[in-house]
Every structure is written in C-alpha cells, then in structure tokens.
Amino acid sequence: MCGIVGGICKKNITSVLIDGLKRLEYRGYDSAGVVVLSADNELHRARAAGKVVNLENNIKEKKIPLDGTVGIAHTRWATHGEPTSRNAHPHICNHTVSVVHNGIIENFLELKAAQEVDGYTFTSDTDTEVIGHAIHQHLQDSESLLEATQKAIQTFEGAYGVGVVSPKDPGRIIAARSGSPLVIGISKKGNFIASDQMALLDITKDFIFLEEGDIADITLDSVTIYDKDGKQVEREIKTSKLKSGQTSKRGYDHYMLKEIFEQPQAIRDTLESRITKDTVLSSAFGHKAKDIFKKTKHIQIIACGTSYNAGLVAKYWLEDIAKIPTHIEVASEYRYRNPIILEDTLFITISQSGETADTLEALKAVKKRSKDKNIHTLTICNSAESSLTRESELTFLTHAGPEIGVASTKAFTTQLVSLALLSVAVGRCHKQVSKQQEATIVDGLNRLPGLIKKTLEQEDQIKELAKTFKDKFNAIFLGRGTMHAIAMEGALKLKEISYIHAEA
Ligand code: GLU
C-alpha cells in the first residue's frame, strides 16, 4: 500500500501534488503519477516508473500541461501488474473518470470480465482499473460523481483508499476508504486528501481522519462525509501535533540510522507519565484497564513482522511475570482460520501504524465472533489516529514519533518497553508482582535510554565489525528465551536491509 495525494485549491495544484508525493517517498514505491483537471475541463496525466524525479523530468521533457486547480497523484507499490509507467496510477476511463487507489480489489477478475463484456478496454494490468470503469458505468445513471462512486464501491471486495476526479463533475474530489487510511486536510488554501498526514503537513495541520467505509465529497470550500450506510456524518477536525521537520533526515544518511539514534529519546517519551521511580501507574493503559486486567484469564496477541517479534518477547514476560497464559499468532494466519476464542481473553494487537490490514481484520473478526465471551481489546501502537485505536477498547501509545524507515527500529524498542509495562500492570492486578520485583523492572526501564545511548556511542566499532559481515551470503542468529524472539527480529532486520539470507 503506497501513497495518495489530491486536492482542490485556489492556485495551480501541481506543485502541491508533487511535493506531497515526495513527502510520501519514505514509504517506498515503484512508480508515480499525477492527473490534473485543466481549466478547459480535460484530464491531463503524467506517469513514470521509478522515482518522483523521473515523473518531474517526464513532465518537463514532454511538456505535459498540468495546469489546473483540481488533481490527484499516487506513488504505487505494485500488487497487480509490473511496476511500469502504463500500470502507474492515476488510471483514466474514457477521458471521464480518473482514479488513484491504495490497496487491493480482491474480486477484480470477476469485475473485469463483466466490464469487458460491457465494452470497456483495459490499458493496464492493475486491479485498480476496474474502479474507474465501475464509476464510469454508474455515472450513466447517477446525478453526481459522488453517487456513482457510492454505487461502484458497493461492488468492491478488498481494501481501498481511493481518490476520484471527473470532468463530468468538475470542482470536486471524491475520497473513499475501506481498509486503507485516508485523511482530509482542511485549509484556507483549499481542501486536500492524502493517505498519510505527512504528505500535507506543509499546507495544513487540520485533519479529518476518515473512518472505515466513509466516503467524502470535497470541494474548494466544503467537505461532506457519508458513513458506510450512506448517512451524512460529522467527523471532528483534529489538529496534528506532528511537525513537518519530523520527517527530515536531520543530517543522517538514512532515516533508519536517524531512528536508531532516536531510540533513547523515544523510550524516555514512552515511559513519561507512565511510571514513577519504582512503580508502573495503573492508569497508563486507560481508566478501564484495571478492571479489565483483573478479569483477564487468557491473553491472545496478534501482530505481523516486527510487531509479532515484540509480541513473542511479551509472551515470555506475560507468562513469567503476570502468570497469564498467553498465545501469539501472526495476524495473516489468525484472520483466515477459525480460531477458538477462550472466555475472558484480553486480545492485544500490536502495530506501529495502527493500520496493518491483517491485524485490523483479525481484531474486527474477533469482536464480531466473541460477543458474550467477556473479550476485551487493547492495542499497542504508535499512531493516535489510527484504525486500531478506534477499534480497540484500550489504547497504549508508544510515543516513538514518526517512523519513516521501512525497517522498524525505535517502534520495536518502544513496543518492548510498552509490553514490559503491561506485564507488570497485569501481574500486579493478579497479585503476582511484588513491590521489589516491580521496582527492579522499573529501574531497569529507567536506565534503558542511557544504556542504549552508550551502545550507540560505539558506532565506529560497530561499523568496523559490519565490514567482516558485509560480504557473507548467509547468517544465523542464535538466542534462547526472550532472546529467541530478538534473534528472529535480528534476522528479519538483516534480510530486510541487506538482502542477506538470515535465519534465527
Ligand atoms: N493494487 C494496486 C496496484 O497494483 C494499488 C497498489 C498500491 O497500493 O500502491 O496498482
């Protein structure tokens, strides 16, 4: 899932779109594109494989006239079809509907077959193209682009965040989300959409976070939102505390390196207001936490990737410290099978973004299937305004700050810190943790930032050591107990970053 930016403003929108795409580059992508609706009501498009700078060069070299106040843009991470310029978004249907899409339309083959019968031609190999055709088809019997999009999305299965523009209904953008995040940026200069508020921080700090199933009708001076049942709803405008500079590399060569060095502060921030010198504050997990923890007889953790590895460490801690039977499973397995949900389970999801699709779906499935079983839900995540925080009863935020690097670093260590606090908090509710044990754990956590700082001061020696590993083809990480999970995280990190085969 990659990046979406769009907007309607008083001036030419192109630079806003291109800047927004650049701000989303950190997420990784394979191609980029932009569509602008010109003053003469035509859709003008530029696309390129590779970096946003290739797109800019393309616009300049081909003199593509991107001159208009309404537009949408996309950075793509291919799921269906090669990462080529013809598959890059936005896609256009019959010069009439243009779409950018994050996510996957799972029933696209079925829709495509029917659309081909109806005479639609496909110019890409993406699943996304069916969205444009479906909206085009519904435009024939709809009063507006909004109505056509509302009808079209009824036919989609899968996950999507979409932005739609059309010369048939100029001066507006339709935005819809289901399973992929989408925010609306509100400003005096105009109204904007993005898959991530980072894209718009230079323009505005005021955001509406669309909820699951929401569809928004956006013009220069209005934003109207309808929920999944088509009912008009009010969504609060929230002021973001993020600073646009938080996404810069601040002199480091890479975001990942910067974030490794931010760990001491990130951990300090995560601990702040949650502990005293020797105790964990029970309110740290929310005012309902104490009652819920007391009733908890089982814990089920669901997560993916790095968050799963953090959860594996927590399984050892929760059983050892809190003495609560704890199970952990990868979300992408859990959501597709029929797991037995025990009564009085605390269901914990862990995710940096709070938007991990499999984890979110697993949580929703559990909530649906386990009514009357005294199931409670807690999410440990790094984003206050996320789907997981909205879906969970209890939220514990890791205050790691934005993590731009694709390989998780400070998010992982702050997750571990959070899970250590949780183990103590749950254990104390079950009278399993002595004052002395709690004080020792809290003291250890308090010393952690200093110890990490000291470790990072050995950067030069670490660089020297890395030279002896850099040309190897295989690596094995060894560990027992909680260190087994850490070995798994080490192997994952090495694979992600160096493409050296690694196992734990
Ligand atoms: N599934 C779409 C494609 O392959 C969108 C991918 C994305 O989220 O970037 O084009």
Side-chain angles (χ1 to χ4, degrees):
M1 186 193 71
C2 253
I4 289 178
V5 195
I8 307 180
C9 61
K10 291 176 187 153
K11 295 197 299 205
N12 189 340
I13 187 89
T14 312
S15 62
V16 173
L17 299 178
I18 301 285
D19 286 351
L21 290 185
K22 285 186 181 160
R23 292 174 147 276
L24 293 177
E25 282 192 298
Y26 75 88
R27 303 182 73 95
Y29 63 102
D30 54 46
S31 51
V34 54
V35 150
V36 169
L37 190 57
S38 64
D40 56 356
N41 213 17
E42 297 258 345
L43 294 168
H44 293 280
R45 172 171 68 179
R47 297 183 291 175
K51 297 282 165 205
V52 175
V53 52
N54 299 357
L55 175 70
E56 287 182 292
N57 291 339
N58 219 348
I59 296 170
K60 264 188 227 139
E61 278 158 27
K62 295 191 183 148
K63 299 197 174 55
I64 302 173
L66 296 178
D67 197 6
T69 55
V70 182
I72 45 176
H74 190 254
T75 46
R76 174 174 185 244
W77 185 254
T79 64
H80 295 68
E82 302 270 288
T84 54
S85 151
R86 76 186 273 277
N87 284 333
H89 305 202
H91 291 286
I92 298 180
C93 173
N94 292 347
H95 310 284
T96 310
V97 174
S98 182
V99 186
V100 284
H101 163 224
N102 276 352
I104 294 170
I105 301 297
E106 283 188 321
N107 60 337
F108 88 102
L109 281 176
E110 214 177 295
L111 294 172
K112 184 173 177 175
Q115 290 171 350
E116 277 173 335
V117 170
D118 290 337
Y120 284 97
T121 351
F122 283 77
T123 57
S124 79
D125 313 308
T126 65
D127 51 333
T128 301
E129 221 181 329
V130 298
I131 301 178
H133 293 337
I135 297 173
H136 180 270
Q137 211 159 17
H138 285 290
L139 257 184
Q140 318 310 317
D141 55 16
S142 300
E143 307 246 302
S144 63
L145 186 60
L146 171 72
E147 191 186 324
T149 311
Q150 275 171 323
K151 286 179 185 162
I153 60 176
Q154 305 292 332
T155 62
F156 304 151
E157 283 163 24
Y160 53 82
V162 292
V164 192
V165 292
S166 167
K168 283 262 182 276
D169 200 349
R172 60 184 2 107
I173 293 188
I174 307 300
R177 76 155 275 179
S178 180
S180 281
L182 215 51
V183 301
I184 301 175
I186 316 275
S187 102
K188 289 203 181 84
K189 295 172 204 148
N191 291 320
F192 304 87
I193 60 166
S195 50
D196 176 335
Q197 46 179 315
M198 294 289 183
L200 302 174
L201 282 179
D202 264 352
I203 302 174
T204 184
K205 294 269 186 291
D206 293 332
F207 293 100
I208 293 174
F209 295 83
L210 288 184
E211 294 189 12
E212 277 298 278
D214 277 358
I215 176 158
D217 185 4
I218 304 163
T219 67
L220 184 60
D221 40 32
S222 70
V223 173
T224 318
I225 301 172
Y226 303 86
D227 70 5
K228 59 180 184 320
D229 304 315
K231 205 173 100 224
Q232 192 177 327
V233 284
E234 291 296 322
R235 300 271 182 245
E236 195 189 335
I237 299 176
K238 296 191 174 149
T239 304
S240 173
K241 291 194 188 78
L242 292 179
K243 295 192 190 80
S244 63
Q246 274 179 295
T247 56
S248 82
K249 291 194 206 128
R250 287 212 335 252
Y252 288 96
D253 285 345
H254 306 280
Y255 284 115
M256 184 173 166
L257 195 61
K258 178 187 115 180
E259 286 156 7
I260 286 171
F261 278 88
E262 280 172 351
Q263 285 177 103
Q265 190 54 46
I267 289 173
R268 255 179 241 120
D269 292 344
T270 300
L271 290 173
E272 200 189 287
S273 312
R274 277 137 172 199
I275 51 171
T276 65
K277 201 165 74 340
D278 46 17
T279 56
V280 176
L281 297 174
S282 15
S283 56
F285 290 85
H287 68 278
K288 286 198 292 180
K290 215 169 164 182
D291 284 345
I292 291 175
F293 291 169
K294 271 187 189 155
K295 287 184 219 144
T296 297
K297 293 199 184 122
H298 312 274
I299 290 177
Q300 174 71 59
I301 303 175
I302 294 296
C304 295
T306 288
S307 302
Y308 172 83
N309 292 336
L312 258 188
V313 177
K315 174 184 160 70
Y316 284 75
W317 286 341
L318 284 160
E319 296 205 337
D320 186 39
I321 300 170
K323 309 272 186 281
I324 304 284
T326 303
H327 299 279
I328 170 154
E329 192 165 332
V330 178
S332 52
E333 286 305 313
Y334 195 88
R335 71 172 277 202
Y336 286 114
R337 64 184 192 90
N338 244 335
I340 293 170
I341 303 166
L342 298 170
E343 279 189 19
D344 307 307
T345 292
L346 175 63
F347 192 86
I348 304 176
T349 52
I350 313 173
S351 158
Q352 190 281 129
S353 63
E355 299 293 346
T356 313
D358 286 324
T359 309
L360 182 61
E361 288 308 317
L363 171 63
K364 285 189 196 160
V366 163
K367 281 169 61 181
K368 215 186 256 166
R369 292 218 320 261
S370 60
K371 301 228 162 73
D372 317 320
K373 282 194 165 174
N374 191 31
I375 302 294
H376 294 283
T377 56
L378 160 70
T379 190
I380 294 181
C381 105
N382 195 33
S383 168
E385 300 302 335
S386 65
S387 303
L388 280 177
T389 60
R390 273 194 293 271
E391 290 283 337
S392 304
E393 266 177 285
L394 304 177
T395 293
F396 187 92
L397 292 177
T398 52
H399 292 308
E403 190 178 66
I404 311 281
V406 174
S408 180
T409 53
K410 59 177 182 169
F412 177 66
T413 37
T414 53
Q415 282 169 353
L416 288 177
V417 165
S418 313
L419 290 159
L421 296 178
L422 177 74
S423 307
V424 174
V426 175
R428 209 178 42 208
C429 287
H430 288 260
K431 300 200 172 25
Q432 294 294 342
V433 180
S434 70
K435 272 207 159 90
Q436 181 53 44
Q437 190 185 10
E438 181 167 356
T440 310
I441 294 173
V442 170
D443 176 56
L445 289 171
N446 269 326
R447 287 189 297 121
L448 197 54
L451 292 172
I452 294 180
K453 188 167 171 281
K454 242 174 147 175
T455 309
L456 294 174
E457 278 162 13
Q458 302 175 53
E459 192 184 2
D460 291 340
Q461 287 107 296
I462 296 170
K463 273 189 189 154
E464 267 319 297
L465 278 175
K467 285 184 191 152
T468 61
F469 302 133
K470 76 177 177 47
D471 297 319
K472 302 283 188 244
F473 294 107
N474 301 288
I476 299 182
F477 287 70
L478 297 176
R480 169 168 288 164
T482 50
M483 288 300 143
H484 170 229
I486 301 297
M488 285 175 63
E489 178 59 10
L492 174 62
K493 212 97 289 175
L494 191 68
K495 281 186 278 197
E496 281 179 315
I497 294 305
S498 66
Y499 292 104
I500 295 173
H501 162 239
E503 287 190 40

